[in-house]
Amino acid sequence: MKNVSIYKTVLPESTFFADLLASTSAYNEFTGKYKSSLHCPACSEKSLSSFGFNEFEPFTLTPFGYTLNFKFEVKEIKSTLINQVLNKEIEKRQENGETVTRNKKMEMKEGILTYLATKAIAQEHFIHAHYHAKEELLLIDTSGDFYLARILNFLREKLGSLKTTTLHVDDVSNGLTQNVRQCLESDLGLGFAGFSFGQKIVLENSDKDKASFTGDYELSSVLDLIQQNYRIVKTSLYRDGLEFTLDESLKISGIKLSEVLKNQLEEQIVDEFGDDEQVDMREFKKSQALLEQHTQVELLVGISNSLVDFFSQLNAAEAA
């Protein structure tokens, strides 16, 4: 998991999705298996994408709830290619004395897109939606609007309704900036609520001028900019063996487990499999990946709740 979008919401128990898949399944005599109409179909020749549950593992039970496993088949056609073909076609028609109106351009563009779709090869993308039942949080391992919209709309359609709230706190940038300023002016180590600052920090002023620091940056330079009314808009943070980037909208990206934590998790898997020399490495790697995934979810739930609490308290203190 590299990027994540987190929502506060209430989902039904996993049995709802098990029943939903069963009620939409039919026996396929050719494959000898049951297949649900909710499984991701092959992307057709003229389609740009298809979407549905991962046929081989639609959902999995987890220590914190369950994970819905989705599959996308997407034909990625660059807009530059579409515009290139469109401009050539427009030029050809204009040379023949034809007037190409705006509506005509839109019609031509749709036709070109349909044609290019027949030539493109769909790429598979697997997206996981982790539901933490106790905290009522849905963590979807993507920040792509296209994927998020399809998944959330699908859930709304199947559940009848779905209320989601994106985790948000006002003035995250101000909170980060004031915290760093206070730490540096008081000669305290950078950090808050158990979080340590990482090797990246981006500041911006009211004119949208940006200053970026990476690696072993000079803290005095950061303080100088803050004193010149620059504010922190993005920074890398670290806590509990998880490193990530946080921006001013409270969006988390660039998620990475520390090597120390990864080694600890690998040792757990080794202990589970024991000393059997006939270990199936595919099963070993699968178990390792699942443990890392579940650990990331649990850590992200705690981290996101801590971030919301910290910045909410800062805002309340400033408003008092």
Side-chain angles (χ1 to χ4, degrees):
M1 187 187 310
K2 293 184 178 180
N3 302 309
V4 66
S5 299
I6 306 176
Y7 303 91
K8 189 74 174 176
T9 191
V10 177
L11 292 183
E13 294 184 1
S14 61
T15 51
F16 171 87
F17 295 100
D19 292 342
L20 179 65
L21 286 160
S23 66
T24 55
S25 294
Y27 184 74
N28 187 314
E29 293 184 357
F30 180 73
T31 61
K33 298 179 181 180
Y34 283 90
K35 182 176 177 64
S36 169
S37 59
L38 299 181
H39 290 156
C40 180
C43 189
S44 64
E45 183 182 35
K46 294 184 178 181
S47 297
L48 291 172
S49 66
S50 61
F51 158 76
F53 281 109
N54 182 352
E55 178 181 354
F56 299 103
E57 202 167 31
F59 71 92
T60 50
L61 300 179
T62 65
F64 49 80
Y66 55 85
T67 297
L68 302 176
N69 304 309
F70 295 104
K71 176 183 174 182
F72 288 79
E73 289 195 5
V74 181
K75 296 177 182 177
E76 299 174 355
I77 303 174
K78 294 182 182 291
S79 58
T80 51
L81 175 59
I82 298 170
N83 291 331
Q84 183 181 13
V85 176
L86 176 63
N87 290 334
K88 285 185 178 180
E89 184 62 25
I90 290 173
E91 184 179 339
K92 185 189 299 182
R93 296 192 181 200
Q94 288 175 337
E95 287 176 353
N96 293 329
E98 182 179 343
T99 300
V100 181
T101 63
R102 182 179 179 181
N103 287 339
K104 188 64 177 178
K105 285 182 183 179
M106 294 298 294
E107 183 182 320
M108 291 167 60
K109 192 170 185 177
E110 286 296 323
I112 290 168
L113 193 55
T114 300
Y115 170 75
L116 292 175
T118 65
K119 305 297 180 182
I121 298 175
Q123 303 295 319
E124 294 181 343
H125 299 272
F126 297 93
I127 307 293
H128 308 285
H130 310 280
Y131 183 58
H132 197 290
K134 181 180 178 181
E135 298 295 332
E136 296 182 344
L137 289 177
L138 180 64
L139 296 84
I140 306 178
D141 62 355
T142 181
S143 57
D145 291 338
F146 169 76
Y147 300 106
L148 291 172
R150 292 290 293 272
I151 290 172
L152 293 176
N153 287 338
F154 172 84
L155 292 175
R156 290 189 184 99
E157 177 187 339
K158 300 307 173 187
L159 296 175
S161 65
L162 178 68
K163 181 180 180 181
T164 58
T165 304
T166 305
L167 293 190
H168 176 76
V169 181
D170 291 331
D171 292 331
V172 169
S173 177
N174 179 62
L176 284 171
T177 304
Q178 295 309 314
N179 173 264
V180 169
R181 181 171 190 159
Q182 182 180 9
C183 289
L184 295 181
E185 289 181 341
S186 305
D187 291 326
L188 301 173
L190 283 183
F192 63 91
F195 293 96
S196 301
F197 282 77
Q199 295 188 325
K200 178 180 181 180
I201 189 167
V202 181
L203 301 97
E204 182 180 272
N205 65 13
S206 58
D207 294 324
K208 302 298 181 182
D209 297 323
K210 287 190 176 182
S212 299
F213 296 87
T214 56
D216 190 16
Y217 49 83
E218 291 289 337
L219 296 179
S220 58
S221 299
V222 175
L223 181 57
D224 286 343
L225 287 172
I226 290 175
Q227 291 172 339
Q228 296 172 42
N229 295 321
Y230 275 75
R231 60 191 181 87
I232 297 172
V233 294
K234 183 181 291 187
T235 186
S236 56
L237 296 172
Y238 178 88
R239 196 180 88 168
D240 300 330
L242 194 72
E243 184 177 355
F244 61 94
T245 298
L246 182 74
D247 71 9
E248 59 184 328
S249 64
L250 209 68
K251 182 172 287 186
I252 293 173
S253 61
I255 301 163
K256 184 179 179 182
L257 289 174
S258 70
E259 289 302 317
V260 172
L261 182 53
K262 287 178 71 173
N263 289 337
Q264 291 173 350
L265 297 176
E266 184 176 2
E267 288 175 6
Q268 287 186 38
I269 299 300
V270 170
D271 290 341
E272 287 179 16
F273 276 78
D275 298 327
D276 187 358
E277 295 181 359
Q278 303 300 318
V279 169
D280 185 332
M281 288 309 298
R282 284 189 308 173
E283 288 301 315
F284 182 92
K285 291 295 183 183
K286 181 179 178 181
S287 297
Q288 183 180 11
L290 280 175
L291 181 58
E292 289 184 3
Q293 186 182 79
H294 295 166
T295 302
Q296 282 184 323
V297 171
E298 290 286 14
L299 290 175
L300 284 167
V301 166
I303 283 170
S304 59
N305 285 338
S306 293
L307 289 171
V308 170
D309 290 344
F310 175 77
F311 290 115
S312 295
Q313 290 172 14
L314 276 184
N315 292 341
E318 285 196 7

